[in-house]
Amino acid sequence: MLSNKCRYSAFKTSLIGLISGSIFLISPFQVFSASSVSAPPSPTKSKLQELTPVSVQLNWNHQFQFAGFYAALQQGYYRDVGLDVKIKSWHPGLSVLNEVVSKRADFGVGYSSIVADYAKGAPIKLVMASFQFSPMVLLSHEPITDLAQFSDKTVMHFGNLQIKALIEKASAIVDQPIKEMSSTGNLQNFIDHKVDFYAAYFTNEPYRLNQSKTPFFILDPKAFGIQSYGDLIFTHQHKAELLPSEVARFRDATVAGWEYAIHHQQETVDFILQNFEVKKSRDALLAEAEATTKYVKSGKQGIGEIEPIKLLATAVYAKESGLINSAQLKSINVNNFVFDASRALYSTEELAYLREHPVIKIGTHLDWRPFEYIDETGGYQGLASEYFKLMGTMLGIEFEPVRDKSWLEITEMAQVGELDVLSCAVATPSNRKYLNFTLPYLSFPMVLAANEELGYIDDYDQLNDQTVAVIKHSWPHESLTQFNPDVNLLLVDSVREGLIAILEGRAIGSSGNLAAINYVIKQEGLDGLLIIGQSKKRFELAIGVQQDNPLLYSILEKTLARITNEQRQKIYDHWIQLNVLTELPHWLSMVGWVLLAMLVLLLVWMLAVHRSKVMLQSYIDTVNELSLATVTDNKGNLIWVSDSFAELSGYDKQELIGKNSSITKSSVMPDEEYNKIYRRVVMGETWQGEVEGCRKDGSLYYVNLTAIPEIRFGKLQKITITREDLTDRKQAEELSIRDALTGLYNRRYFTEVFEREIKRAQREEKPFVFAMADIDFFKKLNDRYGHQQGDVALQKVSHLLQESLRRPQDMVFRLGGEEFGMILNEVDLEHVNQFLNSLDAAIKALGIQNKEGVDGVVTISIGAILLSPDHHLSSDTVYKLADDLMYQAKERGRNRVVVEAFK
């Protein structure tokens, strides 16, 4: 990530030659925006019409506290990055969080308590911190030397996290309860002794009290180990995900504004007075400016920067203050909370696609309850509809269902390219000819419904010569036609019609989706019909996207992956009401009560131990345990290890102490790369990234690692390393990109990385090799020896292909059936030919029997393309060229390699 110093340097460079000396007539109390001071249009620079309107909601009255915004306006920093920024005034009772969440404001200034809001599910992203530590203090009428003095006192505050944490500490030792009042924002309440303590900014209210000669004392939460960021700038999650460039430009311009403001305090103060309704004098603003600088810029910390571990400590304070519970604390992923444009989920091309397509038509079923249907008012309902409503909200677009076409008409429209998306379909062989399918988002078995007297059916072959109702052009229709041709099919238009056919005696049963059949039986009250059989096949319902629209496919695949398990369960529970076991066996219930009692005792014990410790150290320990922390000395040797990391690594703590932190480094990371990262950290740079670690038993784990050096007097003292365990997620991701039969990367992953790898090779100025291979006469092998032997052949060939790879960056994919793809990092045509011909010979040497094949064994044909770094071919063209070369190999007799180089 670019440092703030670098960002500001870039701003200074871009602002050389900024037009100055212009005169602007501005109403003194107007709402101020970048466009109101833009230079007049000229033939060479006329970009007013291109400015993007952006609003930021303040959380207090206009004053130097928000100087970063004002200076960025004054100096044209926002305008120069294409933003027309409007600063929205605050008034008592206004919730900044609500303004941002409801999208009435694009950005908001919040107290550190927004960390708790995020933990409770608020859809927000943290953009930057105006203050590196909070200026929030308590004003009191007497000196406070002991928190016991809070007994029976009244505290007026805004619910700020620092004050809540301080009150929580005091509550543990006072004799009488502390009384809390919501702040009115009126300092007179303190002056008139209506309250004992008053939450204030050290940069603001103390000056006013000094001017009025009101005696007061300051109680700073930091003196009791409570510290956090102040004035956190945040935005809506959707804006951060869909407009990352806009958020990054706003942040960088604001940082530049702060840099200007703290070095030009008088100019900034005068600008504020001239353009905003201010309730303070010029002297008061200048005093505030002088006091504010130390909060904005602290040590080597860049303006606006946020450290994950400090943010996590803030979350711990929130839990201790009762703002969030333990489960919410554990759920916080601070790295996901902090905006990072470099980790944008959607590519630039995908974001442009969404802007150009605010409405996307989708093909749906008219009546396939509970999955999807069009109700009497034309509304789109059902499981799938809720998924699409949720994705529409996430993407800021609308999915518009086709409401007047049958499923047959819908599929015909999709086949000729008139529809880009099928909302809820099975990836059948016929569908895959023109659609790419996402991973399934709904999965239910194919079942058979019939009268209960029919008895249990465990194999559909038992239905030979019987009549079974199926919805025409459905997955059961296609499946039974292909795999159970002796079953007579009664084609119907709906699930209901199929079930009625059973009651009327026109069919012995109806085959379809478990959820759909169960739903109609319950809704229609069709007594006497039961689920009496289940096929081994399942309805794996996914979203189908036209093969010529890879951008939309990628967008929908990514967005589906963002839907949480909780959201999926909520949708499921809303629509599915299957009969489930509702009562536990008595012995299991008793075990549950025993475990619950043990848990309660454990919690009581933990609370007692916690209360007995020094609170600050407890906070630090909690943060370190949650973050799998370790601490090294200035030579990289471990001097402290958290219990949680010891458990993750499989080592005892004693085995780790004194050892170099590289003890858990995976061999996958080259020593050169590890040493490069270590040198950066030793030089004082915080490093963050995903790494693979190696446990004591040799198994691997994955973490998002942050290494934070502590520099004192120019020398490295220690390095604190925190981690977020990604192992489960990585393993889940790995499963989703692997072919179940062969273990190779699947077609989905190939689609995801192919273009990226081509561009990587160009960027690194290296040749790029893509090879396609196909098993010769594979259909004849299946026909002669059976599909089971065909699967064995696929597995053996796949294993050899994987084992043949020479470099970590080489990849092999199963593209479908008996077809494979390989991305290789060979240096020239000679090496490519040599490698692929040896691979071709090795496959033949396996001696897998195939009497119909070349020389009676399994062989492969390979076509490969070698690209120079300066080529201009698209990924689609590269794929087609390799595919054509592979078929040339087949035409020339099979069991051979054809390679060509392209520039």
Side-chain angles (χ1 to χ4, degrees), residues 473-516:
H473 305 295
S474 66
W475 168 229
H477 181 189
E478 186 169 334
S479 177
L480 291 176
T481 300
Q482 181 177 358
F483 298 108
N484 300 91
D486 294 329
V487 176
N488 300 322
L489 300 181
L490 174 66
L491 301 182
V492 297
D493 292 320
S494 68
V495 174
R496 181 181 182 279
E497 185 181 343
L499 296 174
I500 294 298
I502 301 171
L503 299 176
E504 293 177 348
R506 293 185 290 123
I508 193 173
S510 180
S511 184
N513 186 294
L514 169 62

Side-chain angles (χ1 to χ4, degrees), residues 766-830:
K766 293 179 180 179
F768 179 83
V769 179
F770 176 59
M772 292 186 68
D774 188 89
I775 298 178
D776 299 324
F777 300 111
F778 185 73
K779 185 179 185 302
K780 293 184 177 180
L781 185 151
N782 269 335
D783 292 343
R784 185 182 181 96
Y785 301 98
H787 288 278
Q788 186 174 359
Q789 187 59 32
D791 287 349
V792 172
L794 283 169
Q795 290 170 332
K796 290 183 176 180
V797 170
S798 298
H799 179 72
L800 194 149
L801 291 175
Q802 183 66 55
E803 290 297 309
S804 70
L805 300 182
R806 301 179 181 182
R807 299 171 179 81
Q809 299 91 340
D810 292 349
M811 289 184 279
V812 59
F813 309 82
R814 185 185 179 195
L815 299 178
E818 68 274 24
E819 192 172 82
F820 304 88
M822 288 178 284
I823 293 175
L824 307 172
N825 289 268
E826 299 294 334
V827 293
D828 54 36
L829 197 61
E830 179 182 351

Side-chain angles (χ1 to χ4, degrees), residues 20 147 161 172 174 181 191 209 226 264 277 322 337 349 409 412 454 587 799 805 824 838 865 869 878:
S20 60
L147 291 182
L161 184 55
V174 296
M181 293 178 60
I191 295 173
L209 294 175
I226 301 169
H264 302 83
E277 186 175 3
F337 183 26
E349 294 81 4
E409 292 172 308
E412 289 173 346
L454 185 62
W587 67 270
H799 179 72
L805 300 182
L824 307 172
S838 64
I865 178 173
V878 173

Side-chain angles (χ1 to χ4, degrees), residues 58 69 113-114 127 142 206 367 369 677:
L58 305 185
F69 304 132
S113 53
I114 67 164
V127 178
E142 61 182 10
D367 189 5
R369 308 173 193 225
I677 293 170

Side-chain angles (χ1 to χ4, degrees), residues 103-130:
K103 299 184 180 180
R104 291 189 291 270
D106 296 296
F107 298 90
V109 182
Y111 299 111
S112 53
S113 53
I114 67 164
V115 176
D117 296 320
Y118 172 75
K120 290 186 282 191
I124 56 178
K125 284 276 189 179
L126 195 55
V127 178
M128 62 176 283
S130 292

Side-chain angles (χ1 to χ4, degrees), residues 837-893:
N837 276 288
S838 64
L839 180 61
D840 188 64
I843 296 292
K844 185 176 181 181
L846 288 173
I848 303 170
Q849 189 175 20
N850 182 11
K851 294 294 186 183
E852 306 291 336
V854 178
D855 296 332
V857 295
V858 166
T859 58
I860 60 172
S861 299
I862 303 176
I865 178 173
L866 171 66
L867 302 177
S868 64
D870 55 352
H871 75 88
H872 299 288
L873 301 179
S874 69
S875 58
D876 289 340
T877 302
V878 173
Y879 185 96
K880 186 176 186 306
L881 288 170
D883 191 49
D884 290 342
L885 292 172
M886 182 182 72
Y887 278 96
Q888 284 184 36
K890 287 188 174 295
E891 290 167 358
R892 295 178 188 179

Side-chain angles (χ1 to χ4, degrees), residues 551-569:
L551 280 178
L552 181 56
Y553 171 79
S554 177
I555 291 168
L556 295 178
E557 182 87 316
K558 291 176 180 178
T559 309
L560 267 179
R562 288 174 54 199
I563 299 176
T564 65
N565 289 335
E566 291 77 11
Q567 290 170 319
R568 292 171 188 265
Q569 190 63 46

